[in-house]
Amino acid sequence: MKPYNAILVGNGTMGGRHRARFETCGVKFIAAADNQEEFDGTVDKLTCEAAGDNTSDGLPADFAVIASPASTHYTYAKFFLERKIPVLVEKPLAISGEEAQELVDLAAKNDTLLFVAQSECFNPIFLNFRKHFLAELNARLEAGDKLPAGNVRLEFRREHKYSERCRDVDVSLDLLVHDLGLFFTLFRYEDVDISFKTSAESRDRARLYLKVARGPYKGVTADFYVNRDSDVDVRTISVSYGRQGGSPGSDYTVSLARYLDNGEIAHIPDSLENEHRFFLKLLDGACGDWGKRIARIAADCVKIASRQ
């Protein structure tokens, strides 16, 4: 793998994790900034150095990692995409659907990689669930089963205890986007209708109900519940198949997390490692269509999560 130079914007918890993972892959971080003032100074310094060495017409970076507060993602991502510098940005892509779509369109216009780090999509537990769930769903369809509303139901539940992190956005843009990202690797955004979405006044709890209203999976429903001020730590997907014709009903729940002895959730490093490997493959020019799909999914998640 060729050596890459990167810029880090946001040197907190997630920024540190991204930096550590990429450095194990041989990526060199030539600069890091933690706020707008540091960012402006870093950009000026790197631009002058590049011009002085006649090595570049702009920033001497192969890509940028944005792990700053969510409310700043749009500004930083746009800055790099306008200069045709690939970007890995933490979720959410932006805080409004309009901003998210603008970034996707800008990346396409400039033929520049835009990758949103929703690492749960690369969680090996979810990847295994996705494989078996779609196989089971397709087998039922091939057997002649129809999927009337409510016959196949998914429930996504994500809760954790109060944290000071990510307080610049409400729980939908903080947590709900994770499970929406999972859902839209299973079903198409264009086929889905929103039945209802509610948010608590505390901004820490929300519920969303989606229905697949078109396409081959018409009738599948999904219920989402997120809470970032909970007494428990939970990350689960539950599946319910009602009885239909000669097919038996079935219910099961998959935990997307591993738990420590004290009941707290253990970080699954494979998720970040898989995510970074895939990003570097995209950077090398592989899997281009998947890269564009991931960006579109991330924008679609913001469109729903930011809706009042």
Side-chain angles (χ1 to χ4, degrees), residues 198-250:
T198 61
S199 298
E201 291 181 1
S202 67
R203 291 167 33 103
D204 287 335
R205 294 181 298 280
R207 184 174 289 271
L208 171 71
Y209 186 85
L210 299 179
K211 176 190 285 189
V212 182
R214 293 164 290 279
Y217 301 119
K218 180 180 178 180
V220 175
T221 60
D223 189 12
F224 300 79
Y225 177 71
V226 288
N227 185 348
R228 60 180 182 181
D229 190 14
S230 175
D231 294 330
V232 295
D233 288 306
V234 178
R235 298 177 193 172
T236 59
I237 304 176
S238 298
V239 181
S240 176
Y241 288 100
R243 291 186 178 276
Q244 177 69 22
S247 298
S250 60

Side-chain angles (χ1 to χ4, degrees), residues 245-265:
S247 298
S250 60
D251 299 276
Y252 62 91
T253 297
V254 174
S255 174
L256 299 176
R258 300 188 181 104
Y259 292 86
L260 302 173
D261 291 340
N262 63 4
E264 293 183 358
I265 287 179

Side-chain angles (χ1 to χ4, degrees), residues 282-298:
L282 293 173
L283 208 59
D284 282 337
C287 311
D289 288 341
W290 267 101
K292 293 175 183 177
R293 182 183 176 191
I294 287 174
R296 288 196 301 270
I297 287 175

Side-chain angles (χ1 to χ4, degrees), residues 95-254:
I95 59 173
S96 75
E98 293 79 6
E99 289 180 347
Q101 188 61 52
E102 181 185 342
L103 292 176
V104 171
D105 293 342
L106 178 58
K109 175 185 175 183
N110 286 348
D111 193 24
T112 302
L113 174 61
L114 170 63
F115 183 92
V116 182
Q118 295 186 189
S119 59
E120 198 77 275
C121 294
F122 298 88
N123 183 334
I125 300 175
F126 171 72
L127 293 176
N128 186 58
F129 163 82
R130 181 179 184 274
K131 174 183 175 182
H132 290 286
F133 171 72
L134 288 178
E136 184 177 34
L137 193 59
N138 289 326
R140 285 173 175 259
L141 284 172
E142 292 171 4
D145 284 356
K146 295 182 180 179
L147 299 172
N151 187 53
V152 180
R153 179 173 175 268
L154 295 169
E155 182 184 70
F156 294 81
R157 183 180 170 203
R158 186 173 297 265
E159 301 181 56
H160 66 63
K161 298 175 183 178
Y162 182 87
S163 170
E164 289 294 335
R165 295 181 59 227
C166 304
R167 304 305 300 179
D168 62 326
V169 292
D170 70 14
V171 69
S172 294
L173 286 167
D174 181 16
L175 296 188
L176 183 59
V177 289
H178 275 302
D179 290 327
L180 286 171
L182 303 183
F183 181 81
F184 286 121
T185 69
L186 300 168
F187 307 103
R188 291 180 359 126
Y189 175 79
E190 295 80 6
D191 293 339
V192 172
D193 288 343
I194 300 176
S195 294
F196 69 82
K197 179 177 183 291
T198 61
S199 298
E201 291 181 1
S202 67
R203 291 167 33 103
D204 287 335
R205 294 181 298 280
R207 184 174 289 271
L208 171 71
Y209 186 85
L210 299 179
K211 176 190 285 189
V212 182
R214 293 164 290 279
Y217 301 119
K218 180 180 178 180
V220 175
T221 60
D223 189 12
F224 300 79
Y225 177 71
V226 288
N227 185 348
R228 60 180 182 181
D229 190 14
S230 175
D231 294 330
V232 295
D233 288 306
V234 178
R235 298 177 193 172
T236 59
I237 304 176
S238 298
V239 181
S240 176
Y241 288 100
R243 291 186 178 276
Q244 177 69 22
S247 298
S250 60
D251 299 276
Y252 62 91
T253 297
V254 174

